[in-house]
């Protein structure tokens, strides 16, 4: 009996998603189902499955699935290879709640890393819809992956290709609170007038200062949020004022707003990751995020905004991977930067065929 009920729930959730994905891919409009938050006549973009009730699993295993969204450019590929290498190194260490790994490849076709990295191919947005801002593919990739993939774990870590795991990462989420990293430049309170366009009611302080990554969240919550995240992303992109104001972080705001629309608050973990060169000390952090350029003089002084005498800047490697055995930074450079270069070198030294992609 119990089994049948579970099956029915699973079945209706799956059907809900098939229906939803069908809708998205055919007419490209997301319409609210019987929204909890909506009052009649109002148009919050909360997307809900009528059949789907939020379930609170009382005793789930803490394991989470590591998922990274990527495309098939050399730039994305070499970062994914590094990331997967370090995932494998820490996955089974004591203190890790890591489960499986998936690269969600949103180029719509297979590439030459399918054998090396577990990969799930999804479609990109239809041509032109992203208005050149490729990051908008991310929410759409998650919607498709969640609808179609078989995911064993109860939780998901949304990661990015430029994340390196420095140590085993436990499931930081607790109860109904997903875990996220607070970004200093995501400031909902200072942007209330714009956020209100997409989040008409509710406290602005309920919009977390986060993006979608890194976040550890239960699969069921992410299934609720992802379609709304996609809807809000597109609406921000197509709103001239919001697009201009949020610029390259608009898809982060979209995730923060979408989760607030679903009444989901995240617990914030400053030690989720470090971002060299600004974070100088590794401390008890779990991830190195190497999104910024690291520019130093040979005396070890930061030369941000200039070309360093010693440098590591991932954007130098858009069309080919960085060479093996990068020169270590000069003395005086923070440990986060030194560690980053050592970890890149270890991975590139051990990945067969590193230099040809
Ligand atoms: C988002 O949802 C709203 C409300 O349902 C809908 O009117 C709008 O067309 C959707 N926008 C996009 C870009 O999907
Ligand atoms: C794993 O870590 C826990 C808590 O830190 C500790 O109690 C346990 O002994 C460790 N187990 C092993 C096999 O190292
Ligand atoms: C996901 O599932 C939907 C509906 O079941 C289907 O239309 C779509 O093509 C699938 N996408 C992928 C990438 O498998
Ligand atoms: C890496 O480069 C250094 C010089 O920067 C050199 O001394 C060392 O032998 C090289 N190591 C490998 C494994 O190629
Ligand atoms: C995830 O791991 C943390 C730290 O070990 C633990 O406190 C938390 O309860 C776990 N979360 C879940 C959902 O099991």
């Amino acid at each position: 009996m119990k089994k049948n009920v579970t099956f029915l729930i699973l079945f209706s959730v799956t059907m809900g998603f098939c229906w939803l994905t069908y809708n998205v891919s055919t007419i490209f409009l997301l319409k609210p189902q019987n929204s909890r938050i909506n009052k009649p006549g109002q148009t919050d973009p909360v997307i809900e499955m009528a059949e789907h009730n939020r379930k609170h699993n009382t005793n789930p295993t803490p394991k989470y699935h590591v998922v990274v969204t990527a495309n098939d450019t050399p730039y994305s590929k070499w970062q994914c290879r590094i990331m997967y290498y370090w995932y494998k190194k820490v996955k089974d260490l004591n203190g890790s709640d890591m489960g499986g790994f998936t690269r969600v490849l949103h180029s719509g076709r297979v590439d030459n890393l399918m054998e090396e990295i577990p990969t799930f191919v999804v479609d990109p947005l239809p041509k032109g819809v992203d208005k050149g801002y490729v990051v908008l593919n991310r929410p759409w990739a998650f919607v498709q992956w969640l609808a179609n993939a078989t995911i064993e774990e109860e939780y998901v870590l949304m990661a990015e290709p430029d994340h390196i795991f420095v140590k085993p990462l436990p499931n930081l989420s607790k109860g109904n609170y997903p875990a996220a990293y607070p970004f200093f430049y995501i400031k909902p309170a200072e942007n209330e007038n714009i956020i209100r366009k997409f989040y008409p009611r509710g406290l602005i302080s309920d919009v977390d200062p986060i993006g979608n990554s890194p976040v550890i969240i239960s699969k069921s919550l992410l299934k609720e949020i992802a379609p709304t995240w996609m809807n809000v992303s597109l609406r921000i992109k197509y709103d001239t004022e919001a697009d201009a104001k949020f610029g390259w972080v608009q898809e982060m705001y979209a995730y923060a707003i979408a989760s607030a629309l679903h009444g989901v608050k995240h617990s914030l973990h400053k030690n989720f990751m470090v971002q060299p060169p600004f974070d100088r000390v590794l401390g008890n952090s779990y991830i190195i995020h190497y999104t910024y350029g690291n520019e130093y003089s040979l005396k070890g002084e930061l030369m941000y905004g200039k070309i360093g005498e010693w440098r590591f800047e991932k954007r130098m490697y858009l069309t080919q991977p960085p060479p093996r055995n990068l020169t270590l930074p000069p003395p005086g450079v923070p440990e986060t930067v030194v560690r980053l270069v050592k970890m890149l070198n270890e991975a590139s030294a051990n990945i067969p065929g590193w230099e040809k992609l």
Side-chain angles (χ1 to χ4, degrees), residues 80-100:
C80 286
R81 297 180 94 186
I82 303 259
M83 190 205 176
Y84 185 58
Y85 174 88
W86 284 105
Y87 154 81
K88 285 191 295 182
K89 294 270 294 202
V90 303
K91 171 184 189 295
D92 294 322
L93 299 181
N94 196 12
S96 159
D97 286 326
M98 288 174 163

Side-chain angles (χ1 to χ4, degrees), residues 139-176:
W140 177 221
F142 275 105
V143 170
Q144 294 174 81
W145 178 65
L146 290 164
N148 294 290
T150 308
I151 309 154
E152 246 173 62
E153 298 81 3
E154 285 289 331
Y155 293 86
V156 166
L157 163 67
M158 293 187 277
E160 284 175 18
D162 58 357
H163 287 171
I164 292 182
F165 296 108
V166 288
K167 62 175 189 180
L169 173 60
N171 181 345
L172 299 172
S173 72
K174 281 214 173 73
N176 294 319

Side-chain angles (χ1 to χ4, degrees), residues 325-328:
N325 199 17
L326 295 164
T327 311
L328 289 179

Side-chain angles (χ1 to χ4, degrees), residues 53-127:
N53 292 317
R54 195 176 290 176
K55 274 187 305 179
H56 299 312
N57 202 335
T58 44
N59 193 19
T61 120
K63 289 250 187 241
Y64 58 84
H65 196 93
V66 179
V67 55
V68 59
T69 52
N71 61 31
D72 62 358
T73 60
Y75 179 64
S76 180
K77 283 180 184 171
W78 68 256
Q79 294 175 47
C80 286
R81 297 180 94 186
I82 303 259
M83 190 205 176
Y84 185 58
Y85 174 88
W86 284 105
Y87 154 81
K88 285 191 295 182
K89 294 270 294 202
V90 303
K91 171 184 189 295
D92 294 322
L93 299 181
N94 196 12
S96 159
D97 286 326
M98 288 174 163
F101 185 104
T102 301
R103 177 178 65 132
V104 176
L105 182 60
H106 54 69
S107 54
R109 51 171 187 249
V110 301
D111 67 7
N112 60 348
L113 292 182
M114 306 298 290
E115 305 281 299
E116 180 174 324
I117 307 175
T119 299
F120 191 87
V121 178
V122 298
D123 290 329
L125 288 167
K127 222 176 164 45

Side-chain angles (χ1 to χ4, degrees), residues 117-339:
I117 307 175
T119 299
F120 191 87
V121 178
V122 298
D123 290 329
L125 288 167
K127 222 176 164 45
V129 169
D130 68 0
K131 293 190 166 193
Y133 185 60
V134 289
V135 175
L136 285 189
N137 280 290
R138 213 175 272 162
W140 177 221
F142 275 105
V143 170
Q144 294 174 81
W145 178 65
L146 290 164
N148 294 290
T150 308
I151 309 154
E152 246 173 62
E153 298 81 3
E154 285 289 331
Y155 293 86
V156 166
L157 163 67
M158 293 187 277
E160 284 175 18
D162 58 357
H163 287 171
I164 292 182
F165 296 108
V166 288
K167 62 175 189 180
L169 173 60
N171 181 345
L172 299 172
S173 72
K174 281 214 173 73
N176 294 319
Y177 291 90
Y181 174 80
F183 287 89
F184 69 90
Y185 52 79
I186 301 294
K187 296 174 170 164
E190 288 180 19
N191 294 290
E192 171 155 8
N193 56 336
I194 294 181
I195 287 180
R196 283 296 180 207
K197 292 184 176 187
F198 313 100
Y199 179 66
R201 286 170 302 282
L203 298 170
I204 285 293
S205 59
D206 282 345
V207 181
D208 292 323
I210 61 171
N212 81 294
S213 177
V215 162
I216 299 178
I217 185 168
S218 72
K219 240 182 341 194
S220 57
L221 279 186
L222 187 57
K223 280 182 177 177
E224 288 187 30
I225 294 170
T228 306
W229 172 28
M230 172 165 168
N231 179 284
V232 175
S233 298
L234 291 170
R235 289 173 64 210
I236 291 179
K237 188 71 208 165
Y238 284 77
D239 181 301
T240 314
E241 187 193 9
D243 182 33
K245 180 78 194 180
F246 289 159
W248 63 276
V249 296
Q250 56 182 267
E251 174 268 339
M252 298 172 73
Y253 273 104
Y255 177 80
I257 292 168
S259 17
L261 284 167
H262 284 273
V264 174
K265 284 285 284 173
H266 296 67
S267 63
L268 304 179
H269 299 260
K270 266 211 135 104
N271 69 333
F272 214 141
M273 66 182 188
V274 283
Q275 308 196 86
F278 303 113
D279 295 318
R280 301 169 51 90
V281 178
L282 202 48
N284 59 355
S285 297
Y286 298 104
I287 292 172
I288 293 179
H289 180 212
Y290 56 101
T291 190
Y292 298 107
N294 297 275
E295 311 280 352
Y296 284 90
S297 74
L298 294 179
K299 291 188 191 132
E301 297 152 335
L302 184 62
M303 296 171 64
Y304 197 70
K306 302 208 184 89
I307 301 290
E309 293 159 359
W310 178 92
R311 63 190 310 220
F312 178 76
E313 154 65 281
K314 69 171 181 172
R315 290 168 194 82
M316 284 169 67
Y317 308 104
L318 296 177
T319 56
Q320 81 290 323
R324 282 176 164 151
N325 199 17
L326 295 164
T327 311
L328 289 179
V333 168
E335 64 169 359
T336 48
V337 181
V338 177
R339 184 68 175 271

